[in-house]
Amino acid sequence: MNYVLLFPDELRAESLGCYGHPVVKTPNIDALAKEGVLFEQNYTAHPVCGPSRSCIASGWYPHVDGKRTFYLPVETDPNMFVPLREGGFTTAHAGKDDMFTNPAMGKVFTEFLPFHRRDVVKEKNLKAISEARYSMLYPPVADEDADELGDTKTTRDAIDFIQRHANDDKPFFLMVSWAFPHPPYTCPNHYYNMYDPETMPISRDITWNDDKPDLYNVIRKYREDDLYDPKVYKKINAVYHGMISYVDMLVGQIVQALKDQNIYDDTTIIFCSDHGDFAGDARLLEKWPSDMTDMITRVPLIIRRPGGAKNHRINTPTQSIDILPTILDYEHISLNYQQFGVSLKSQIEGADGDAERAAYTEGGYDTHEPWCFEPTCFKGTYLERPQIEGTDYYPKCMQQQDVPDSVCRVLMQRYKNWKLIVRTNGQNELYDMEQDPLEKYNLYGKETYKDIQNQLSQKMLNWMIHSADVVPIDAAYRGGKR
């Protein structure tokens, strides 16, 4: 069986048609859901690109090995891609390479296809609209320049890989990592203007911030939110969903390539993302390392496997770190180390989800680890550069340096219909996600909910103890000599 993992950047689950969005057009992604299994409550292990992808590769939560910030060396760390390669697969990665260091990517994957940046955006010197300099809302890309977008080139590379390996004797695993819909918010003009900002349903208005931790209003302050016309956020939301429809078109191209090579029925397709985006909701944009809302932490997971269940929906918690353990389970490939992902094989074949499972997400940084904060964490990487006032990430970097408490360490637990969020600064949260799916009403500390709060806290503590470290598995034990 071949495997194709389609992995856009910063795509939240609620913004797809198959996850209930009433306006967005995602026919190709929706078709995969109808032909396979959709996991309703899937969560990332971390709300930032690099750490999230590292967790998927290793099956470890961030606290196990400290992968909570950008660009840590991972050349010798265990991961599940190498066993797949050693198990007889041609493994390839196309696009954004945030899981490993660049040299390591070439060692982990059989083929390391290039990451094409948004060269056309840079060449055209597109910048955020002048009336909202920190909005990350850019003018559209001309339709005639669409072929030069990085994601378009990445898709061509992926299709070329499929064509070259369709008739191989050995199966392949291909991960396609697109940059869209990560900001800046821009895309080809056709998609940029696909949705009317005035009719896009934005579920969370500015009052959503009223009962929230301080970090949200601090984000808005550093982004100069009070200077923007509120219509800017509506346009951001519309363009974000236009970018998603563009991704959906690319998904269709990959699917068609598999069909053209007559291997669609020999290929499992997995659709997921690293984390979500505020997308203008509550007058917020992009993401934040210590945010634990479903906007950021709940990401799509759709698995379409030939012979598997069709139009099957799982509404119990899962995690993106389950992807590779599921593949290894199907392929009877064992690991020589402990990891925390769970195989979803039974659900793919029609079983119900695990109602007793909890999902966990971690984020944020401590003041005793200043090397984790942006922009310090970029030292020695190609992203190391002075933060200049007026550029996209200036407010984000300045906020982390000026108000480090707003990006403190945090742990989130999603269990049954509850979400518990514990922060080191004491600004904790508790939500009944069945009655309050938009997380408007913080129940933490309220007397009526003390019992459930204590129960969830104890469950979280037990989980942290169980997953606090991993003990190496020695060769004798692996060989069954004990």
Side-chain angles (χ1 to χ4, degrees):
M1 179 72 70
N2 301 310
Y3 294 87
V4 175
L5 173 55
L6 303 176
F7 207 79
D9 193 336
E10 205 147 322
L11 199 160
R12 63 189 191 180
E14 67 183 69
S15 288
L16 292 174
C18 51
Y19 278 86
H21 196 282
V23 175
V24 72
K25 299 173 184 176
T26 50
N28 295 298
I29 300 169
D30 297 350
L32 292 177
K34 288 180 181 179
E35 293 182 21
V37 183
L38 182 149
F39 296 87
E40 297 269 11
Q41 303 299 332
N42 185 65
Y43 286 85
T44 181
H46 195 282
V48 175
C49 311
S52 169
R53 295 166 192 250
S54 295
C55 292
I56 290 172
S58 67
W60 287 352
Y61 290 100
H63 68 268
V64 177
D65 60 350
K67 295 287 190 298
R68 291 182 291 102
T69 187
F70 293 93
Y71 298 100
L72 292 173
V74 295
E75 304 230 11
T76 59
D77 288 359
N79 68 83
M80 289 179 272
F81 292 107
V82 169
L84 195 61
R85 177 178 177 175
E86 293 174 345
F89 280 76
T90 299
T91 58
H93 184 280
K96 184 174 181 179
D97 51 339
D98 273 358
M99 281 185 297
F100 303 95
T101 59
N102 193 274
M105 290 289 282
K107 298 175 183 177
V108 170
F109 293 96
T110 313
E111 292 190 30
F112 177 30
L113 307 176
F115 173 24
H116 303 284
R117 302 187 181 280
R118 300 185 187 187
D119 298 332
V120 67
V121 176
K122 183 177 180 180
E123 289 169 4
K124 298 290 182 179
N125 200 28
L126 296 180
K127 296 180 180 179
I129 59 173
S130 58
E131 59 267 33
R133 65 173 180 166
Y134 291 135
S135 67
M136 302 180 82
L137 177 61
Y138 282 30
V141 174
D143 287 333
E144 57 267 29
D145 290 332
D147 282 349
E148 296 306 310
L149 280 172
D151 283 352
T152 310
K153 294 179 179 179
T154 292
T155 305
R156 289 200 294 265
D157 290 342
I159 292 172
D160 175 70
F161 174 87
I162 291 169
Q163 292 170 342
R164 287 187 288 108
H165 293 281
N167 298 314
D168 287 358
D169 292 334
K170 59 194 297 188
F172 65 75
F173 170 91
L174 169 64
M175 182 173 181
V176 185
S177 295
W178 290 303
F180 275 22
H182 191 293
Y185 304 104
T186 184
C187 55
N189 188 66
H190 171 73
Y191 293 91
Y192 191 93
N193 293 305
M194 179 174 282
Y195 303 111
D196 181 355
E198 295 303 319
T199 60
M200 288 297 288
I202 297 183
S203 303
R204 306 162 185 86
D205 62 20
I206 195 169
T207 64
W208 179 89
N209 295 284
D210 292 347
D211 195 24
K212 291 290 174 183
D214 296 340
L215 71 94
Y216 299 101
N217 284 324
V218 177
I219 291 171
R220 291 173 52 236
K221 174 186 174 183
Y222 273 76
R223 288 281 180 188
E224 301 181 346
D225 165 74
D226 58 332
L227 303 180
Y228 299 177
D229 185 325
K231 290 183 177 180
V232 167
Y233 292 98
K234 293 183 177 181
K235 185 60 179 177
I236 287 172
N237 189 264
V239 174
Y240 176 74
H241 287 88
M243 296 170 78
I244 291 173
S245 288
Y246 187 77
V247 167
D248 182 81
M249 180 271 294
L250 299 178
V251 169
Q253 291 186 3
I254 298 291
V255 169
Q256 189 59 51
L258 295 169
K259 291 179 177 178
D260 289 345
Q261 297 300 315
N262 296 315
I263 57 172
Y264 184 66
D265 291 331
D266 300 313
T267 304
T268 292
I269 301 175
I270 303 167
F271 185 88
C272 189
S273 184
D274 49 2
H275 54 79
D277 191 291
F278 293 124
D281 275 63
R283 295 184 66 153
L284 297 165
L285 55 94
E286 213 220 356
K287 59 184 179 291
W288 191 250
S290 61
D291 172 76
M292 293 288 125
T293 65
D294 267 19
M295 288 183 281
I296 305 301
T297 60
R298 179 176 170 244
V299 293
L301 178 59
I302 300 167
I303 302 179
R304 177 265 180 200
R305 183 178 178 86
K310 293 185 177 182
N311 205 22
H312 185 39
R313 302 177 84 95
I314 302 296
N315 60 11
T316 55
T318 56
Q319 303 235 227
S320 302
I321 61 172
D322 299 338
I323 291 172
L324 285 165
T326 300
I327 296 174
L328 297 180
D329 187 14
Y330 267 112
E331 300 302 324
H332 308 290
I333 297 174
S334 60
L335 293 174
N336 62 2
Y337 73 97
Q338 178 189 3
Q339 60 84 38
F340 298 99
V342 175
S343 172
L344 303 176
K345 181 178 178 181
S346 63
Q347 289 96 312
I348 293 171
E349 296 176 355
D352 293 332
D354 181 358
E356 291 303 316
R357 187 180 181 188
Y360 293 90
T361 307
E362 304 171 58
Y365 320 120
D366 262 329
T367 52
H368 67 253
E369 47 189 17
W371 53 86
C372 292
F373 291 76
E374 297 176 59
T376 311
C377 61
F378 296 124
K379 263 189 179 301
T381 77
Y382 66 90
L383 291 174
E384 183 180 0
R385 58 179 179 265
Q387 296 304 309
I388 302 170
E389 184 176 0
T391 55
D392 288 336
Y393 285 98
Y394 179 81
K396 186 175 185 180
C397 292
M398 291 303 99
Q399 178 180 339
Q400 291 187 24
Q401 296 296 327
D402 295 346
V403 195
D405 197 49
S406 69
V407 68
C408 69
R409 288 186 68 169
V410 57
L411 177 58
M412 183 276 285
Q413 176 196 74
R414 182 73 165 86
Y415 177 63
K416 294 187 183 292
N417 60 306
W418 298 101
K419 177 184 277 192
L420 173 66
I421 302 169
V422 178
R423 290 189 171 83
T424 54
N425 67 2
Q427 295 187 7
N428 304 329
E429 301 170 81
L430 174 66
Y431 299 100
D432 183 338
M433 299 298 287
E434 184 175 359
Q435 301 298 320
D436 180 25
L438 298 179
E439 303 163 82
K440 291 183 178 180
Y441 308 108
N442 186 4
L443 306 175
Y444 193 91
K446 298 186 184 300
E447 190 62 35
T448 307
Y449 299 94
K450 278 293 179 68
D451 285 346
I452 186 63
Q453 179 180 308
N454 291 337
Q455 292 172 27
L456 296 171
S457 297
Q458 184 61 53
K459 185 177 181 67
M460 179 182 283
L461 175 60
N462 289 344
W463 168 81
M464 181 60 78
I465 293 171
H466 281 298
S467 60
D469 60 16
V470 289
V471 178
I473 304 173
D474 64 51
Y477 185 89
R478 290 199 304 271
K481 297 179 180 179
R482 289 188 175 180

